[in-house]
């Protein structure tokens, strides 16, 4: 696992996920929260200088579309 230090004064976690993984979707924010217990206690903004453990990117979820009329 690698680490990421939040630059500046503060940053939103979704923007941090986008900077690290290239997207804030697909479970990336949740993966950061799971790898960093207590991170959510900061609220919507993570203070600058906070070191975040970065897990591997989550596997993409393949959605199956069910069409009952077919």
């Amino acid at each position: 696992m690698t680490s990421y230090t939040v630059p500046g004064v503060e940053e939103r976690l979704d923007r941090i996920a986008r900077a690290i993984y290239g997207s804030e979707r697909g479970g990336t924010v949740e993966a950061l929260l799971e790898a960093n217990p207590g991170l959510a206690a900061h609220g919507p903004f993570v203070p600058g200088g906070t070191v975040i453990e970065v897990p591997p990117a989550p596997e993409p979820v393949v959605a199956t579309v069910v069409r009952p009329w077919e």
Side-chain angles (χ1 to χ4, degrees), residues 7-63:
V9 178
E10 58 185 18
E11 188 62 86
R12 288 191 341 230
L13 192 56
D14 62 322
R15 289 184 174 195
I16 294 169
R18 179 176 276 266
I20 295 170
Y21 298 115
S23 175
E24 69 280 1
R25 298 178 185 206
T28 56
V29 173
E30 291 82 356
L32 290 174
L33 287 169
E34 187 175 321
N36 296 277
L39 188 60
H42 292 291
F45 292 95
V46 180
T50 302
V51 178
I52 298 174
E53 294 299 318
V54 179
E59 293 293 322
V61 177
V62 178

